């Protein structure tokens, strides 16, 4: 009973604490890519990440970008599929529940994953033979005094990878006891782990050997072992291999469908990504260096070394496995071009093995209950480590990164100056400590736009409920705790629907109707574009850009390939010469309508083939003739093509109007524009020059509608005189044409 109480208390305490520091912001391009892929799958069935194109383009190093274009020209992520699959239910919940935003819902995933990891660690420590209070202490240390704490504010894949690797170890541990379900758990988790990052295949062998190697190697006989109970052995082998092989096959098919090869994951090896750093530099940097060394960022894990020596006497096989996995993970990333893990707190890639290192603390903590000096040492290291995590949790790392980048980064070498890796004064810990000592305001989401108490109250309430349930232990305590957690999570996520960013994206969401592909040529919305619940592709580019900008041009081709409706979101004024994307749309697509929202112009175009101007006209409006026109009527709208021709040089910049009339002459829809949206002003036309405008009127119209066409001189505020093809003047200076 005490065991169940402690598990419940651990879960509620940690999740409550995580809700206190929870944020809806995704501060890494990695997390944005993972969520963009999940949102795109949920909303239009393709794992593309065009929505973060503008953010991706801001990265100064080309091979650091998340976007990799597939064989079909679509923008895919180089990140693994498994984290996006985890985020899929959160996206679906956000789409179904009006009080949930996409980012706010998705950012709940890491607190839940980290809490689950602590609970799994609790169970594993119990399996190793240690008491519940020791398991509780290990789970608490992992959840609050290691890298796990600051990473609950992120959306990286490593927290999930840490959980999967721990579960794989637990499955192998059970497999050694003869439970074939442990083999299945280990195989499935290793397969999913490869879906976080393919480098994780380097860990498979160690887990497999541990699961199959006997406890007494001296008595080992491969022939006798295989002969005894071969059916059970075959079932266990199948339980391990089949889920692992299925996951690896799905990863291969996913890569093949995107990039034409099962081994092509989208990483930019040709541009500089790869295993290019010196091994010793990476080993030092990952473990000992003040820049990102684990010894600095989670000092409590220094106790894992004596803890491992104690564990080796009690559980030699498990100790060997934990050490082998820690070594394999370290070696796998020590030579990676960015072993630091990008913009992150501490050695991000070592977060995967932090639960295993925390498990090594169990024998030391078990002994500390009866040894005061040892207990004081454990508490001291844990307290110091907790303080380091608070520095990384309560302050954004970006100001320090920007300062370091501005002063010590050599762009030509794509590397920092050597002293960055060895000088403690340049460590993020030192920088954040200086912020704290200077009284810098904490960066908490519930204080960003004025004090909002929902979030801290929900976190505190959940921790309190957990304590009460653990103390009283009612029969349905786990179910009650689950309901309390669900209520707290929902309240915290719903509380994020405030602030200017939320209002801007809500205004954009309301204006983008009817739905269509969204091309946001702006960085003003940053990652909030992920909150757009549009059942169509969304992609963004920087603006201004040049037509030959590699990333912008590729995304633009992808947008055109979608066909159908396309919304251009732009901050440019009409007919701006630098807005090549709008110019391209006016030249090749049919214009539908324009709206204003969130400080931007929203222009709807139809990329479907426009009707050919196959009907002769000949009506003249001042110096301009309607040479030909074409009409196509469909259930989704009326498409019109008009071809103008200059008879003589126009004296000013004139504008045309096209009205859709019902039988009574009432206007059902209309457009009033300069030619090609102002990109072909009539003052520049030459005699004989033709200009073609393409229009679309969204919606259904009766077959009896007619078109009213004319031209106006905006400067004079009057229509240009109109004439029939035979030259007879038209009394009202417009022409009405049947469809």
């Amino acid at each position: 009973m005490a065991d169940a109480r402690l598990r419940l208390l651990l879960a509620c305490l940690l999740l409550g604490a995580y809700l206190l520091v929870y944020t809806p912001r995704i501060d890494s391009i990695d997390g944005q890519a993972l969520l963009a892929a999940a949102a795109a799958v949920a909303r239009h069935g393709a794992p593309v990440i065009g929505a973060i194109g503008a953010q991706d383009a801001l990265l100064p190093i080309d091979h650091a970008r998340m976007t990799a274009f597939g064989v079909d020209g679509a923008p895919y992520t180089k990140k693994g599929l498994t984290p996006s699959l985890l985020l899929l239910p959160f996206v679906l919940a956000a789409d179904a529940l009006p009080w949930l935003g996409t980012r706010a819902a998705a950012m709940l995933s890491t607190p839940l994953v980290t809490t689950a990891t602590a609970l799994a660690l609790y169970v594993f420590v119990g399996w190793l033979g240690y008491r519940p209070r020791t398991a509780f202490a290990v789970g608490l240390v992992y959840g609050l005094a290691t890298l796990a704490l600051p990473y609950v504010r992120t959306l990286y894949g490593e927290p999930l990878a840490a959980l999967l690797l721990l579960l794989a170890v637990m499955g192998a541990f059970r497999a050694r006891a003869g439970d074939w379900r442990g083999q299945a758990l280990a195989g499935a988790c290793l397969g999913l782990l490869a879906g976080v990052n393919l480098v994780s295949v380097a860990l498979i062998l160690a887990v497999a050997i541990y699961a199959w190697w006997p406890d007494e190697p001296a008595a080992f006989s491969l022939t006798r072992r295989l002969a005894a109970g071969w059916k059970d052995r075959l079932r266990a082998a199948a339980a391990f291999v089949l889920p692992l092989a299925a996951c690896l096959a799905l990863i291969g098919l996913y890569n093949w469908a995107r990039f034409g090869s099962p081994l092509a994951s989208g990483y930019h090896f040709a541009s500089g990504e790869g295993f290019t750093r010196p091994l010793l530099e990476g080993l030092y940097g990952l473990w000992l260096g003040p820049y990102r060394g684990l010894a600095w960022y989670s000092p409590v894990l220094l106790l894992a070394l004596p803890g491992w020596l104690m564990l080796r006497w009690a559980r030699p096989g498990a100790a060997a496995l934990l050490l082998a996995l820690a070594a394999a993970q370290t070696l796998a990333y020590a030579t990676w071009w960015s072993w630091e893990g990008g913009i992150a707190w501490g050695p991000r890639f070592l977060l995967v093995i932090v639960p295993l290192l925390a498990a090594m603390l169990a024998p030391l903590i078990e002994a500390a209950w009866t040894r005061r000096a040892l207990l004081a040492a454990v508490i001291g290291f844990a307290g110091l480590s907790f303080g380091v995590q608070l520095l990384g949790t309560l302050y954004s790392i970006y100001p320090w990164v920007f300062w370091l980048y501005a002063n010590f980064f050599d762009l030509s070498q794509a590397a920092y100056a050597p002293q960055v890796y060895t000088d403690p004064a340049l460590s993020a810990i030192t920088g954040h400590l200086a912020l704290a000592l200077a009284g810098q305001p904490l960066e908490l989401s519930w204080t960003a736009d004025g004090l909002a108490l929902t979030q801290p109250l929900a976190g505190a309430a959940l921790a309190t409920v957990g304590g009460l349930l653990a103390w009283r232990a009612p029969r349905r305590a786990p179910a009650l705790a689950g309901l309390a957690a669900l209520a707290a999570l929902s309240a915290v996520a719903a509380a994020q629907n405030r602030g200017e960013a939320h209002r801007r994206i809500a205004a954009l969401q309301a204006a983008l109707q009817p739905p269509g592909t969204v091309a946001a040529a702006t960085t003003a919305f940053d990652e909030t574009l992920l909150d757009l619940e549009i059942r169509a592709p969304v992609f963004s580019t920087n603006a201004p850009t040049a037509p030959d900008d590699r990333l912008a041009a590729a995304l633009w081709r992808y947008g055109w390939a979608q066909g159908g409706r396309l919304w251009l979101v732009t901050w440019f004024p009409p007919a701006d010469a630098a807005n090549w994307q709008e110019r391209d749309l006016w030249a090749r697509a049919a214009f539908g309508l324009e709206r204003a929202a969130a400080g931007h112009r929203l222009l709807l175009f139809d990329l479907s083939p426009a009707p050919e101007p196959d009907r002769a006209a000949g009506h003249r409006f001042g110096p301009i003739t309607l040479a030909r026109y074409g009409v196509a009527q469909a259930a989704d709208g009326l498409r019109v093509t008009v071809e103008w021709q200059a008879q003589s040089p126009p004296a000013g910049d004139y504008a045309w109007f096209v009205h859709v009339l019902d039988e009574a002459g009432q206007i059902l829809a209309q457009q009033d524009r300069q030619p090609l949206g102002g990109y072909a002003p009539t003052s520049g036309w030459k005699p004989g020059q033709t200009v073609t405008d393409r229009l679309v009127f969204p919606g259904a119209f009766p077959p009896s509608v007619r078109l009213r066409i004319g031209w106006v001189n905006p400067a004079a505020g009057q229509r240009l005189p109109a004439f029939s093809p035979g030259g007879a003047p038209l009394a009202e200076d417009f022409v009405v044409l049947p469809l």
Side-chain angles (χ1 to χ4, degrees):
M1 192 63 176
D3 187 40
R5 290 182 179 186
L6 286 177
R7 285 201 307 268
L8 189 149
L9 179 61
L10 178 64
C12 291
L13 284 178
L14 288 182
L15 191 55
Y18 296 159
L19 291 184
L20 292 175
V21 298
Y22 160 90
T23 175
R25 289 294 308 270
I26 306 174
D27 65 355
S28 71
I29 195 67
D30 303 63
Q32 293 173 23
L34 296 174
L35 180 55
V41 168
R43 290 164 183 164
H44 59 89
V48 296
I49 61 167
I52 67 165
Q55 295 293 100
D56 210 19
L58 296 177
L59 295 177
I61 304 174
D62 193 46
H63 53 266
R65 294 174 177 170
M66 295 295 109
T67 304
F69 290 93
V71 292
D72 58 353
Y76 296 108
T77 177
K78 63 183 183 181
K79 309 303 289 185
L81 180 62
T82 302
S84 293
L85 291 177
L86 171 70
L87 293 173
L88 195 55
F90 294 90
V91 175
L92 294 173
D95 288 354
L97 303 174
W99 62 87
L100 282 184
T102 304
R103 290 177 305 137
M107 287 299 290
L108 294 172
S109 63
T110 310
L112 288 169
V113 164
T114 307
T115 302
T117 306
L119 288 175
L121 186 57
Y122 177 101
V123 173
F124 182 54
V125 169
W127 287 358
L128 290 175
Y130 300 101
R131 287 178 289 179
R133 63 178 179 176
T134 298
F136 179 83
V138 170
L140 208 59
V141 167
Y142 168 76
L144 297 178
T146 70
L147 292 179
L149 178 58
Y151 277 86
V152 300
R153 290 170 56 92
T154 72
L155 202 59
Y156 286 112
E158 280 69 26
L160 176 60
L163 173 60
L164 291 171
L165 182 58
L166 176 59
L167 291 176
V169 169
M170 294 172 67
F173 187 88
R174 299 302 298 173
R176 287 171 69 90
D179 187 351
W180 67 270
R181 291 171 297 184
Q183 299 279 14
L185 177 63
C189 289
L190 288 172
L192 292 171
L193 184 60
V196 177
N197 197 310
L198 277 175
V199 175
S200 298
V201 298
L203 308 177
I204 294 176
L205 182 61
V207 177
I209 291 175
Y210 173 75
W212 288 88
W213 199 262
D215 290 325
E216 300 293 338
F220 176 63
S221 170
L222 179 61
T223 305
R224 185 167 63 250
R225 188 172 177 83
L226 291 177
W230 66 270
K231 291 184 179 180
D232 291 337
R233 299 289 174 189
L234 182 61
R235 182 174 65 174
F240 180 84
V241 171
L242 289 180
L244 174 60
C247 289
L248 294 178
L250 288 174
I251 294 170
L253 288 173
Y254 178 60
N255 290 337
W256 176 78
R258 296 184 300 160
F259 304 118
S261 168
L263 299 179
S265 59
Y267 278 86
H268 310 291
F269 293 107
S271 301
E273 276 191 301
F275 300 92
T276 58
R277 300 284 283 274
L279 175 63
L280 292 181
E281 175 192 322
L283 293 176
Y284 167 78
L286 286 170
W287 283 94
L288 301 176
Y291 176 57
R292 293 289 178 89
L294 189 63
W296 293 76
Y297 284 83
S298 292
V300 70
L301 295 180
L302 291 172
L303 300 178
L305 179 57
W308 181 83
L309 293 174
M310 298 171 70
L311 180 65
R312 182 172 175 269
W313 290 105
R315 294 281 186 176
L321 174 63
L322 298 182
L323 183 62
L325 291 174
Q329 181 73 7
T330 301
L331 292 172
Y333 284 100
T335 61
W336 184 242
W337 76 276
S338 178
W339 55 258
E340 307 96 328
I343 301 177
W345 184 256
R348 173 163 66 96
F349 297 128
L350 293 192
L351 177 62
V352 178
I353 57 171
V354 166
L356 309 185
L357 299 176
M360 298 179 190
L361 300 174
L364 201 68
I365 294 176
E366 182 84 0
W369 297 121
T370 56
R371 301 179 186 178
R372 291 184 178 181
L374 186 57
L375 181 61
V378 171
I379 293 175
F381 272 92
L384 174 63
S385 199
F386 175 65
V388 172
Q389 308 322 313
L390 283 183
L391 292 176
T393 303
L394 299 178
Y395 295 101
S396 170
I397 198 172
Y398 276 84
W400 171 78
V401 169
F402 292 154
W403 175 82
L404 206 63
Y405 183 85
N407 292 278
F408 296 95
F409 192 80
D410 184 350
L411 190 57
S412 64
Q413 300 295 321
Y416 284 111
Q419 66 264 36
V420 169
Y421 302 103
T422 58
D423 187 353
L426 300 180
S427 168
I429 298 174
T430 305
H432 284 216
L433 181 60
L435 291 177
L437 294 176
Q440 183 75 11
L442 304 179
E443 298 188 20
L444 298 169
S445 62
W446 44 279
T447 63
D449 296 303
L451 189 62
L453 295 179
T454 301
Q455 184 174 335
L457 290 177
L462 179 57
T464 303
V465 167
L468 291 174
L469 290 174
W471 175 47
R472 300 300 298 270
R475 189 170 61 179
R476 298 181 178 178
L480 293 174
L483 290 175
L486 183 61
L489 292 169
S490 298
V492 167
Q496 311 309 316
N497 296 334
R498 62 193 183 99
E500 181 60 25
H502 172 73
R503 288 189 288 270
R504 285 164 57 82
I505 207 68
L508 189 64
Q509 172 88 37
L512 292 173
Q513 298 297 328
T517 299
V518 177
T522 174
T523 57
F525 297 101
D526 52 63
E527 86 272 11
T528 62
L529 277 179
L530 297 172
D531 286 333
L532 270 183
E533 297 176 3
I534 300 291
R535 301 291 175 182
V538 178
F539 69 96
S540 64
T541 64
N542 273 326
T545 58
D548 60 353
D549 181 282
R550 184 187 61 82
L551 184 58
L555 286 168
W556 193 243
R557 289 192 297 270
Y558 161 74
W560 269 97
Q562 304 312 300
R565 297 189 181 104
L566 181 142
W567 283 97
L568 176 65
V569 180
T570 178
W571 50 262
F572 279 108
D576 193 296
N579 195 350
W580 62 271
Q581 292 161 313
E582 183 178 347
R583 179 195 292 272
D584 188 38
L585 286 168
W586 280 104
R588 296 197 288 154
F591 175 78
L593 56 89
E594 179 175 347
R595 295 193 179 113
H600 288 69
R601 297 165 56 231
L602 282 55
L603 296 91
L604 178 63
F605 288 88
D606 188 346
L607 307 185
S608 304
E612 290 295 325
D614 52 7
R615 304 186 187 188
H619 301 85
R620 184 164 57 86
F621 307 90
I624 300 169
T625 296
L626 174 60
R628 298 183 302 166
Y629 73 100
V631 178
Q633 197 165 4
D636 63 340
L638 176 65
R639 294 169 176 81
V640 178
T641 302
V642 286
E643 184 181 280
W644 315 108
Q645 186 174 51
Q647 300 303 312
S648 59
D653 290 330
Y654 304 143
W656 49 255
F657 61 84
V658 177
H659 299 165
V660 181
L661 307 178
D662 63 13
E663 291 181 339
Q666 298 298 312
I667 298 177
L668 300 178
Q670 68 183 74
Q671 290 195 31
D672 307 79
R673 295 278 164 181
Q674 288 195 22
L676 298 185
Y679 283 101
T682 55
S683 59
W685 288 13
K686 307 298 183 184
Q689 178 181 349
T690 60
V691 173
T692 301
D693 275 301
R694 300 167 182 85
L695 299 72
V696 61
F697 298 95
F701 297 93
S704 58
V705 297
R706 297 169 295 163
L707 297 179
R708 181 165 65 192
I709 300 176
W711 279 77
V712 297
N713 181 354
Q718 60 186 18
R719 297 174 186 159
L720 298 184
F723 302 88
S724 70
L730 301 176
E732 295 181 305
D733 292 327
F734 58 72
V735 61
V736 177
L737 302 173
L739 298 191

